Amino acid sequence: MSEIYVHANKLEGSIALPPFKSEVIRYFLLCALSGARSINVVRSADCLNGAISTDDSRLCDDIRHSMNASSFLIDYQCTDDCIDVGGSATLLRLLIPPLLAKYGFARFRTDASLYKRSLESYIDCIKCVIKRLENGIIEVSGRLSQDMKYSIDASASSQFASGMLLALPLIKGMRLHIDGNPVSEPYFELTLRMLNAFNILIERDADGFYLASSTKFTLPEHYSVEGDHSYAANFLAANYMNPCCNIVLSGLNLDSIQADAVAPRLFGRDEISIMNCPDLFPILCIAACAKSGKTVITGTDRLRDKESDRVKSMLNGISAIGGNIEAHSDHVIIHGNGKLRGGRVDAFNDHRIVMAFSIASLICDEPIEIYGADAVKKSAPRFFDDFRSLGGTAIEYNR
């Protein structure tokens, strides 16, 4: 596993945002449900037009896996072949309901972190059987039935509710009830909006969600994907943390409905809820260290089941480089003074932890050494290229 030394006195210049990962994953799955084997997409962030190839070095691991996995929604023989989803919880959770609707069975290959993450909401909702086999293999079996009303618990993640929405047009007369408001609700609304773009009209009443008419998946003639605000948040935080920074982000839609578009409005606040934007937690912790005084970040309990236990990851990392952070049952308290010491941190194989501590180097007296820096490939393989292009130092090596 790689390590990297990072440091920066300031970051300045312009970079292009990668495509919004959650939207691209949904796009590929919806294209496959529309029967499209050759997928074209416009990446509005950097004007890449035409077919996207898995050989494109700019694409993150999660998007590569979604491109390959989506084909199984068109043709899946249910043999011993596994659908490789890598470490993408989004991809795994979105795939399960439509695959069960079409085939009643699916087998996935996952990485070590994803293998352990919860799928209990589907067991309770669909009554499916989930087996965790050797070598990261997860096997799911069960059938969705016609004219049934399913209830899904979305309190752990909106991804479960979104997965059920993808299956709804495949099962005649199916209705979907959601218990409570889904956390990360903007991602659920994204699924509804994208289904509408693919000619799937879903309505809701007191009993839940249902297909409005006998519409079928139809590939839109044109589709444009936004730049990723989750990625942008790291560099927007740099601008906030260090007055010498002047980073311009091309492809940033200021009117975006992405959950993480709220990031600039959260920097500097004394109290922050991350219920709808959990991916911002690492960089919000770092931004809190850059200001003087106490910052309370609430809604952190659900972060225990991410790529890492992100509360523990940030607690260990910030403490290791001279910060003051307390972790409680559902919130953290950060006592910032505008500076950090620097030192060695473990990213716990979590891409967002890698990026957050790289940005933290802007307020450090010494460089930060990040163990497990290659985790960044999951969502942002170009991160360190961008970091260097803006004037930062990032020296990678294998121990």
Side-chain angles (χ1 to χ4, degrees), residues 35-317:
R37 293 183 181 273
S38 178
I39 299 171
N40 295 310
V41 63
V42 176
R43 285 169 59 181
S44 60
D46 55 9
C47 301
L48 175 66
N49 297 298
I52 293 179
S53 167
T54 54
D55 295 331
D56 189 336
S57 63
R58 293 168 291 184
L59 297 183
C60 67
D61 288 348
D62 283 1
I63 289 180
R64 292 176 194 278
H65 283 111
S66 70
M67 292 173 67
N68 293 325
S70 62
S71 64
F72 288 91
L73 289 171
I74 301 175
D75 182 26
Y76 184 34
Q77 300 301 320
C78 300
T79 65
D80 290 336
D81 291 339
C82 293
I83 304 170
D84 190 352
V85 296
S88 177
T90 300
L91 180 57
L92 174 63
R93 292 169 177 173
L94 293 183
L95 274 170
I96 287 175
L99 284 170
L100 292 184
K102 295 186 65 143
Y103 309 112
F105 177 88
R107 186 180 287 116
F108 303 94
R109 178 175 290 105
T110 66
D111 73 4
S113 175
L114 181 57
Y115 181 76
K116 301 173 184 177
R117 295 180 69 177
S118 174
L119 295 171
E120 292 298 318
S121 291
Y122 284 147
I123 296 174
D124 295 337
C125 173
I126 307 173
K127 311 305 179 188
C128 58
V129 176
I130 297 178
K131 297 179 181 178
R132 298 180 191 270
L133 309 177
E134 295 180 348
N135 301 317
I137 305 300
I138 297 177
E139 185 177 283
V140 186
S141 58
R143 281 283 184 184
L144 289 164
S145 302
Q146 293 185 3
D147 300 316
M148 278 284 292
K149 178 181 176 181
Y150 290 95
S151 294
I152 188 76
D153 179 6
S155 62
S157 172
S158 66
Q159 292 166 354
F160 296 109
S162 288
M164 292 298 291
L165 281 180
L166 295 185
L168 195 152
L170 304 175
I171 302 296
K172 181 180 178 180
M174 174 179 156
R175 278 182 171 263
L176 176 64
H177 175 75
I178 298 175
D179 295 332
N181 293 324
V183 294
S184 302
E185 189 168 2
Y187 292 95
F188 179 75
E189 295 298 330
L190 170 67
T191 306
L192 285 171
R193 178 170 61 85
M194 293 187 69
L195 280 164
N196 187 68
F198 280 76
N199 197 39
I200 298 297
L201 307 179
I202 293 178
E203 294 188 357
R204 69 182 88 180
D205 58 20
D207 289 330
F209 295 84
Y210 61 95
L211 195 63
S213 61
S214 58
T215 56
K216 64 178 182 177
F217 290 100
T218 304
L219 194 68
E221 185 175 353
H222 301 288
Y223 194 89
S224 181
V225 175
E226 291 187 352
D228 197 325
H229 278 263
S230 299
Y231 187 79
N234 296 285
F235 296 102
L236 294 172
N239 284 342
Y240 161 77
M241 291 164 54
N242 188 323
C244 294
C245 291
N246 182 21
I247 305 167
V248 178
L249 303 172
S250 64
L252 185 67
N253 177 11
L254 298 178
D255 297 321
S256 175
I257 65 168
Q258 290 180 45
D260 293 342
V262 301
R265 301 195 293 274
L266 301 182
F267 299 141
R269 286 191 182 181
D270 294 334
E271 295 187 10
I272 301 170
S273 170
I274 56 158
M275 286 304 295
N276 282 329
C277 54
D279 288 341
L280 291 180
F281 174 72
I283 194 60
L284 287 173
C285 288
I286 298 303
C289 291
K291 79 184 228 343
S292 295
K294 183 174 77 172
T295 302
V296 180
I297 303 178
T298 62
T300 59
D301 182 60
R302 58 189 298 233
L303 300 176
R304 306 284 184 179
D305 187 34
K306 292 289 186 178
E307 283 81 352
S308 70
D309 178 339
R310 283 187 176 155
V311 174
K312 179 180 177 182
S313 298
M314 294 307 296
L315 177 69
N316 290 355

